[in-house]
């Protein structure tokens, strides 16, 4: 599926900036051999992850609780021996490793974006500002010894050069160590037609089948899977050295389910593409109708994934008055490509609109509980996953 020219999802622009924006072609394909779903063109990593990277993992209370419990689970199940060592790829602001550090466990966070990593250091997290690859892994092993756990959340799917990363993980892991990672699950994307999960940072959209096939090439084995509700539907994968652990029953069950659903068959992919096209038409039609009726419509959540929605659907300031977001680094700036103004949360609550386009749909439950005043004032939410509707 080709989503056309897309901007960098986190390149929010100063309104006074007249420089040329960077665009790339967002096209997605599925491999007929290994069943991997991935972007067809790579965006240079330095353009996405840098000092000004504006996403903070601690921004959601739901995600803070998720990472706290994840850290406790990793420590209890995989790092309970003498002097364990935990490494996280893409540790962001240290929301997960903070719990590991407080437990007195040796750890290291890998984070190329220096701005968020400084927040992690302030929490007492040990961070190295670098991209993780084989050469990096070998240096870590030499300096700190083997890792009992290598963990990544919403990071591994960002990395096109998985060969170097997996070679590095194989070199870094202790004999009984595990690589645990969680990322958006293509099975959920397919079911919900959540096409905005495709954007510059999401190079891969994994399934248990594609991860199993990928892992085998590097002497690793898929030994566990766990469905997660976070970010609109994710899967947590656990890899270990081949033959070192007995795969959990959940692995075989999910592989069988994916085989039955034929997730990457031409028929299923064609159906997905058709549904996405229909949702795009309905969403734009609804926004134009509300505009023509004189209704105020704003966006809620200047998320990375919203770049795909706004640019693929051609939604700009003519259809959205503004987008509210709680991230200071985004406020007073224009959304990438579509150039809708981002304002603080007060702009939403000070004068409630008639409708709010829920761009941060993956946090719907948390947002709905928070924004009861909007509902009480007669406001309605406009949603587009899994279909276009008002609630």
């Amino acid at each position: 599926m080709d989503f056309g020219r897309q901007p960098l999802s986190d390149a929010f622009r100063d309104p006074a900036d007249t420089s040329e924006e960077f665009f790339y072609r967002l096209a997605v394909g599925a491999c007929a051999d290994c069943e991997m779903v991935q972007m067809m063109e790579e965006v240079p990593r330095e353009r996405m992850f840098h000092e000004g990277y504006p996403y903070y993992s601690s921004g959601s209370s739901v995600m803070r609780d998720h990472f706290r419990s994840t850290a406790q689970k990793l420590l209890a199940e995989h790092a309970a021996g003498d002097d364990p060592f935990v490494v996280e790829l893409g540790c962001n602001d240290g929301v997960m490793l903070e719990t590991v550090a407080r437990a007195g466990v040796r750890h290291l966070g890998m984070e190329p974006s220096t701005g968020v990593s400084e927040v992690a250091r302030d929490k007492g997290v040990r961070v190295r500002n670098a991209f993780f690859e084989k050469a990096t892994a070998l240096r870590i092993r030499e300096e700190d010894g083997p890792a009992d756990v290598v963990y990544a959340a919403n990071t591994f799917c960002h990395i096109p050069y998985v060969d170097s990363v997996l070679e590095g993980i194989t070199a870094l892991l202790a004999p009984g160590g595990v690589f645990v990672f969680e990322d958006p699950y293509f099975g959920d994307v397919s079911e919900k037609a959540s096409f905005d999960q495709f954007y510059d940072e999401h190079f891969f959209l994994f399934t248990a089948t594609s991860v199993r096939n990928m892992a085998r090439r590097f002497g690793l084995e898929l030994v566990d899977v766990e469905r997660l509700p976070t970010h609109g539907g994710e899967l947590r994968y656990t890899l270990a050295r081949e033959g070192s652990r007995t795969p959990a029953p959940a692995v075989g069950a999910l592989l069988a389910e994916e085989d039955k659903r034929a997730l990457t068959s031409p028929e299923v992919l064609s159906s997905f593409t058709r549904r996405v096209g229909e949702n795009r038409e309905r969403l734009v039609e609804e926004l134009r109708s509300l505009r023509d009726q004189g209704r105020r419509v704003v966006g809620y959540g200047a998320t990375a994934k919203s770049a795909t929605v706004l640019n693929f659907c051609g939604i700009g300031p003519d259809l959205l008055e503004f987008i509210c977001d709680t991230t200071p680094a985004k406020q007073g700036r224009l959304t990438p490509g579509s150039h809708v103004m981002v304002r603080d949360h007060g702009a939403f609550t000070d004068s409630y609109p008639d409708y709010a386009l829920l761009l941060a749909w993956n946090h719907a439950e948390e947002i709905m509980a928070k924004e009861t005043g909007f509902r009480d004032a007669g406001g309605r939410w406009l949603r587009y996953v899994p279909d276009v509707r008002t609630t």
Side-chain angles (χ1 to χ4, degrees):
M1 184 171 184
D2 195 332
F3 292 89
R5 293 174 70 251
Q6 290 283 339
L8 297 173
S9 61
D10 276 315
F12 293 85
R13 291 172 66 84
D14 185 320
D17 186 356
T18 58
S19 63
E20 185 177 355
E21 281 186 269
F22 175 84
F23 285 86
Y24 69 99
R25 175 175 173 247
L26 177 56
V28 181
C31 178
D33 180 24
C34 71
E35 300 190 33
M36 184 68 78
V37 176
Q38 67 177 74
M39 287 170 52
M40 305 305 293
E41 296 182 11
E42 177 183 349
V43 178
R45 63 188 187 182
E46 293 81 5
R47 283 189 173 271
M48 295 184 288
F49 308 110
H50 46 74
E51 183 177 355
Y53 186 63
Y55 179 75
Y56 288 78
S57 299
S58 298
S60 161
S61 61
V62 170
M63 295 310 297
R64 290 196 298 272
D65 292 342
H66 169 75
F67 286 121
R68 188 180 302 113
S69 63
T70 296
Q72 293 167 348
K73 179 182 176 72
L74 293 175
L75 292 175
E77 296 182 1
H78 303 297
D82 295 332
D83 193 27
F85 181 40
V86 177
V87 176
E88 182 177 8
L89 314 185
C91 71
N92 198 264
D93 59 9
V95 63
M96 192 285 288
L97 283 180
E98 181 181 13
T99 299
V100 176
R102 287 179 176 174
V105 173
R106 281 195 310 126
H107 65 276
L108 177 65
M110 300 296 300
E111 178 53 63
S113 303
T114 56
V116 292
S117 69
E118 286 304 317
V119 178
R121 288 192 178 93
D122 290 341
K123 296 176 180 177
V125 173
R126 180 175 167 235
V127 183
R128 176 176 293 183
N129 291 126
F131 290 100
F132 183 90
E133 48 203 352
K134 184 177 181 181
T136 320
L138 293 173
R139 287 197 296 272
I140 295 171
R141 171 117 191 186
E142 182 179 354
E143 297 170 7
D144 295 287
D148 298 275
V149 180
V150 177
Y151 172 74
N154 308 299
T155 297
F156 190 48
C157 72
H158 296 182
I159 306 173
Y161 49 98
V162 289
D163 51 349
S164 183
V165 173
L166 288 173
E167 287 170 356
I169 286 169
T170 303
L172 180 58
L173 281 180
V178 291
F179 174 37
V180 181
F181 63 98
E182 53 196 68
D183 281 304
Y185 177 48
F186 182 67
D188 287 319
V189 173
S190 176
E191 180 181 356
K192 300 174 183 178
S194 49
F195 64 92
D196 55 355
Q197 292 283 22
F198 295 112
Y199 60 95
D200 55 351
E201 294 180 10
H202 286 179
F203 189 82
F204 294 106
L205 278 178
F206 297 122
T207 62
T209 302
S210 62
V211 167
R212 177 198 60 185
N213 294 340
M214 173 179 63
R216 283 175 172 171
R217 302 184 181 204
F218 300 90
L220 298 170
E221 185 176 10
L222 180 62
V223 296
D224 204 0
V225 291
E226 180 182 358
R227 300 291 292 267
L228 302 173
T230 50
H231 290 299
E234 295 196 313
L235 205 64
R236 178 180 289 158
Y237 308 86
T238 300
L239 305 183
R241 296 185 190 279
E242 200 165 11
S244 66
R245 295 178 179 237
T246 301
V251 174
L254 186 55
L255 289 171
E257 177 187 323
E258 290 181 355
D259 184 61
K260 183 177 181 180
R261 290 177 64 186
L263 287 174
T264 59
S265 67
E267 295 78 15
V268 172
L269 294 176
S270 295
S271 174
F272 172 80
T273 301
R274 184 178 64 257
R275 290 165 59 206
V276 169
E278 291 171 352
N279 280 2
R280 174 173 67 167
E281 291 179 7
R282 290 171 184 164
L283 177 58
V284 173
E285 181 180 326
E286 182 68 19
L287 287 169
R288 287 174 176 167
S289 175
L290 292 172
R291 178 195 61 191
D292 294 344
Q293 295 172 40
R295 303 301 184 102
R296 290 185 61 222
V297 184
V298 307
Y300 195 105
T303 60
K305 60 170 63 70
S306 68
T308 298
V309 180
L310 300 180
N311 287 277
F312 179 57
C313 298
I315 298 170
D318 60 321
L319 296 176
L320 288 182
E321 184 178 326
F322 62 86
I323 297 175
C324 77
D325 196 278
T326 58
T327 307
K330 299 178 182 179
Q331 294 164 5
R333 290 180 171 266
L334 303 176
T335 55
S338 52
H339 298 173
V340 180
M341 176 61 71
V342 180
R343 301 180 64 184
D344 62 27
H345 182 253
F348 179 74
T349 56
D350 290 347
S351 178
Y352 285 124
D354 298 304
Y355 290 82
L357 176 61
L358 187 57
L359 296 165
W361 58 265
N362 50 307
H363 294 293
E365 185 175 344
E366 182 180 2
I367 291 169
M368 299 296 182
K370 173 183 176 183
E371 301 296 356
T372 55
F374 173 58
R375 172 70 70 186
D376 293 342
R380 302 188 68 184
W381 296 99
L382 177 57
R383 308 176 71 169
Y384 56 90
V385 173
D387 49 31
V388 178
R389 65 198 188 283
T390 55
T391 58

